[in-house]
Amino acid sequence: VMANVSVITLFVLSGLNETVNHRSIIFFLSLLCYCTILVVNVSLIVIIILDNSLHEPMYILLCAFFMNGLYGTTGFYPKFLWDLLSPVHVISYSGCLVQALVMYSFACSDLSILALMAYDRYLAICRPLEYHSVMSKHRVTKLAFFSWLMPFCIIATNIYLTSRVKLCSSYIDRLFCVNWSIVQLACFPEETTINGIVANITIITYVLHGLFIVWSYLYLIKTCTSSLENRAKFMQTCVPHLTSLLTFLFTVLFDVMTLRLASKDFPQMLINFIAIEFLIIPPIMNPLIYGFKLTKIRNKIVGVVSFKMNVK
């Protein structure tokens, strides 16, 4: 076995091999998708930053949410688009670890920010008198930063452990680098026990995030149905959160299932689509859901559009 252990400097991403015939269509659709993500997320970030009336906890968290969407998708699309145009699909060892770090920390930060949003809505609707003292702008900004930094550090620990594993193959049968796919290339599976333990702790941590979010919304629904005013407040601000949470959880759970269960029975194209679903649906859906559902942002967008029409 030792003869087989060589220092791997490049990985081959073989997930793209199936797409040879449809390369140009996929390139066009992916480019369109990435441009849409950039436009909708950047415009909402700019609207929130420039408008003082939107400098409230909920919108600060939304701003962090959209920034995280840009961070995650930038870890995937430019490299993917480049691969679609080039005959060989390789990524350097360090590039692969960085991509895995970005992908995972993006997904975990999304859950952290959604958990903060759920707590924010709980305070706003169930304990309105304490809301402003607990959720000050300064504190929310710090919490938003922390909800990105903590997942980043947790995932960095996972990636560091992966970097210490000796690998015996350089073939990853996916479209992008995934920590677990790299760990599975280990020469000595017994070396990866600690990786498995830390990975499972990470998964449990973020499943708990998900459960906390679901619990807080169930609690809100129970509390909200008592008064009409609260019901209106809930429909307006919580339904978007619930929608984005459910799309996110659905896409990620699906991916984790195909990754952890031996996914040999699934066609490669389906696995590919499932794998990048969380990089297509939430980053486009979230800004649209919030942009149209939250009155203040919607009014801003309508205002800007009608102003431009009048100028013309």
Side-chain angles (χ1 to χ4, degrees):
V1 178
M2 285 310 282
N4 227 353
V5 181
S6 56
V7 177
I8 287 175
T9 55
L10 278 179
F11 286 109
V12 178
L13 298 168
S14 54
L16 263 177
N17 295 352
E18 291 266 324
T19 60
V20 180
N21 312 329
H22 320 287
R23 206 57 62 91
S24 49
I25 300 171
I26 295 173
F27 178 81
F28 174 71
L29 290 175
S30 304
L31 184 62
L32 185 68
C33 195
Y34 187 46
C35 291
T36 310
I37 289 170
L38 288 176
V39 170
V40 290
N41 284 282
V42 170
S43 11
L44 283 177
I45 291 168
V46 169
I47 287 174
I48 293 171
I49 290 175
L50 294 183
D51 185 2
N52 283 331
S53 73
L54 293 177
H55 292 183
E56 289 172 18
M58 184 167 73
Y59 298 103
I60 294 171
L61 292 175
L62 276 180
C63 196
F65 198 44
F66 301 144
M67 284 174 173
N68 190 49
L70 288 177
Y71 160 74
T73 47
T74 302
F76 169 71
Y77 282 98
K79 170 79 179 101
F80 179 60
L81 291 166
W82 177 258
D83 280 346
L84 284 168
L85 294 179
S86 66
V88 283
H89 311 125
V90 292
I91 187 167
S92 69
Y93 179 78
S94 54
C96 194
L97 293 179
V98 168
Q99 190 177 44
L101 171 65
V102 172
M103 299 286 88
Y104 279 100
S105 57
F106 150 68
C108 295
S109 298
D110 247 11
L111 273 175
S112 294
I113 297 168
L114 282 167
L116 266 180
M117 286 179 179
Y119 181 62
D120 172 76
R121 292 299 84 206
Y122 159 73
L123 282 175
I125 294 173
C126 301
R127 298 160 76 175
L129 299 177
E130 297 166 42
Y131 181 70
H132 288 290
S133 58
V134 177
M135 296 299 254
S136 64
K137 279 184 211 175
H138 184 63
R139 182 175 291 164
V140 170
T141 312
K142 276 207 308 213
L143 282 171
F145 177 69
F146 191 63
S147 68
W148 180 81
L149 185 67
M150 200 172 127
F152 186 85
C153 295
I154 292 174
I155 300 302
T157 310
N158 279 278
I159 302 293
Y160 169 69
L161 290 171
T162 302
S163 71
R164 295 170 62 231
V165 174
K166 291 184 181 68
L167 306 175
C168 273
S169 166
S170 58
Y171 285 87
I172 295 177
D173 59 344
R174 291 179 78 84
L175 298 176
F176 57 88
C177 291
V178 177
N179 191 35
W180 200 247
S181 296
I182 306 170
V183 172
Q184 284 172 324
L185 305 175
C187 300
F188 315 107
E190 62 277 7
E191 261 189 9
T192 66
T193 316
I194 181 79
N195 295 64
I197 294 168
V198 175
N200 287 331
I201 292 171
T202 308
I203 291 169
I204 292 164
T205 306
Y206 286 98
V207 165
L208 290 175
H209 273 60
L211 291 173
F212 166 75
I213 300 166
V214 171
W215 171 82
S216 59
Y217 282 125
L218 287 174
Y219 184 83
L220 273 174
I221 291 166
K222 208 182 92 186
T223 323
C224 281
T225 42
S226 56
S227 84
L228 261 177
E229 187 199 347
N230 276 357
R231 204 173 306 164
K233 221 179 196 181
F234 177 82
M235 289 306 289
Q236 197 200 341
T237 59
C238 297
V239 172
H241 293 188
L242 275 174
T243 317
S244 51
L245 173 71
L246 293 173
T247 47
F248 179 77
L249 285 180
F250 176 74
T251 52
V252 170
L253 279 174
F254 225 63
D255 187 36
V256 169
M257 303 255 285
T258 50
L259 187 63
R260 287 297 176 113
L261 308 169
S263 52
K264 298 283 170 274
D265 322 330
F266 294 102
Q268 185 68 41
M269 284 290 267
L270 178 67
I271 292 172
N272 286 351
F273 179 70
I274 291 168
I276 62 168
E277 223 181 342
F278 80 108
L279 293 158
I280 300 173
I281 299 170
I284 291 180
M285 285 282 289
N286 290 336
L288 295 179
I289 293 167
Y290 291 107
F292 292 113
K293 190 78 185 121
L294 298 177
T295 321
K296 274 192 171 180
I297 294 185
R298 189 175 61 228
N299 294 347
K300 277 281 162 275
I301 296 170
V302 172
V304 169
V305 172
S306 57
F307 174 72
K308 285 198 170 150
M309 296 285 197
N310 293 339
V311 168
K312 281 179 184 170

